Amino acid sequence: MHDDFHSYKPAQGHGLKHDPIASILGLRPIGWIATRDADGRANLAPYSFFNVFNYKPPIVAFASVGWKDTIRNTQATGEFVVNLATRTLAEQVNLTSASVPSDVDEFELAGLTPAACLRVSAPRVAQSPVALECRVTQVQQLAAALLRDGIYRTEDARPILRAGGPADYFEITPDTLFQMHRSR
């Protein structure tokens, strides 16, 4: 049993030097995402909120803190490449995390070689032993319209949920909302 613990409510801040959420749920792989913008310029950036979510079809996803070049490029072209970030490439991965203007080529900045892919126009990192060529299926942005008083309102988004039957689904709607506070 742990008698010494730290607790916080995200809306009130954690009171620590660094936000602990990213460290608590470690280990997190790094998605080293390469894209091309609509004008053909290459972009390369690491994302630590990244993972694979399915076998068939294979689905990978990453989250961006802010609307960065990578997101703009994936929306414009519908493509991206996930390069394996390895220990031998750690310094280059770190260099590509710099906030630089859109016209700066991170491949060149980090001394990396862009290589052609087989199925997408975005480049892969030639030095990386693995590259996943990806097509965008969805870009999801947390909409401010779904935030009320700093709380994400699930019912306003009206998501659907899979139910038990062969074609059964449920929708979460505002009229089905009820509140029940947890026992203390």
Side-chain angles (χ1 to χ4, degrees):
M1 180 134 96
H2 296 280
D3 293 331
D4 182 26
F5 65 92
H6 178 78
S7 177
Y8 72 96
K9 294 179 180 178
Q12 297 172 353
H14 47 73
L16 303 172
K17 186 174 180 179
H18 298 287
D19 189 337
I21 195 70
S23 299
I24 292 169
L25 300 177
L27 306 169
R28 293 185 332 274
I30 296 170
W32 203 12
I33 312 295
T35 60
R36 228 183 250 297
D37 70 12
D39 295 324
R41 288 183 297 236
N43 176 268
L44 181 62
Y47 286 85
S48 65
F49 287 107
F50 158 84
N51 220 315
V52 61
F53 293 95
N54 199 33
Y55 288 108
K56 293 182 183 178
I59 297 173
V60 297
F62 65 96
S64 178
V65 178
W67 209 252
K68 299 178 181 175
D69 292 338
T70 302
I71 303 302
R72 281 190 287 281
N73 295 349
T74 58
Q75 280 198 299
T77 65
E79 300 175 341
F80 63 98
V81 178
V82 177
N83 299 276
L84 187 63
T86 64
R87 178 62 183 102
T88 57
L89 294 169
E91 293 301 320
Q92 289 91 338
V93 171
N94 191 43
L95 286 171
T96 63
S97 71
S99 294
V100 296
S102 298
D103 61 346
V104 173
D105 182 335
E106 288 88 357
F107 281 88
E108 186 177 311
L109 179 72
L112 296 164
T113 307
C117 285
L118 300 175
R119 291 175 179 82
V120 300
S121 64
R124 64 181 175 84
V125 175
Q127 291 87 343
S128 177
V130 176
L132 306 175
E133 299 180 23
C134 304
R135 297 203 191 280
V136 175
T137 58
Q138 182 180 26
V139 175
Q140 181 77 37
Q141 183 176 18
L142 185 60
L146 300 176
L147 297 174
R148 269 190 279 144
D149 300 323
I151 299 171
Y152 176 78
R153 303 306 302 197
T154 304
E155 72 278 9
D156 289 348
R158 299 182 68 166
I160 59 172
L161 309 169
R162 186 78 166 99
D168 295 347
Y169 291 82
F170 289 100
E171 176 185 6
I172 297 176
T173 61
D175 60 307
T176 61
L177 173 68
F178 69 96
Q179 292 187 336
M180 180 171 56
H181 295 282
R182 293 184 181 193
S183 299
R184 292 183 186 248

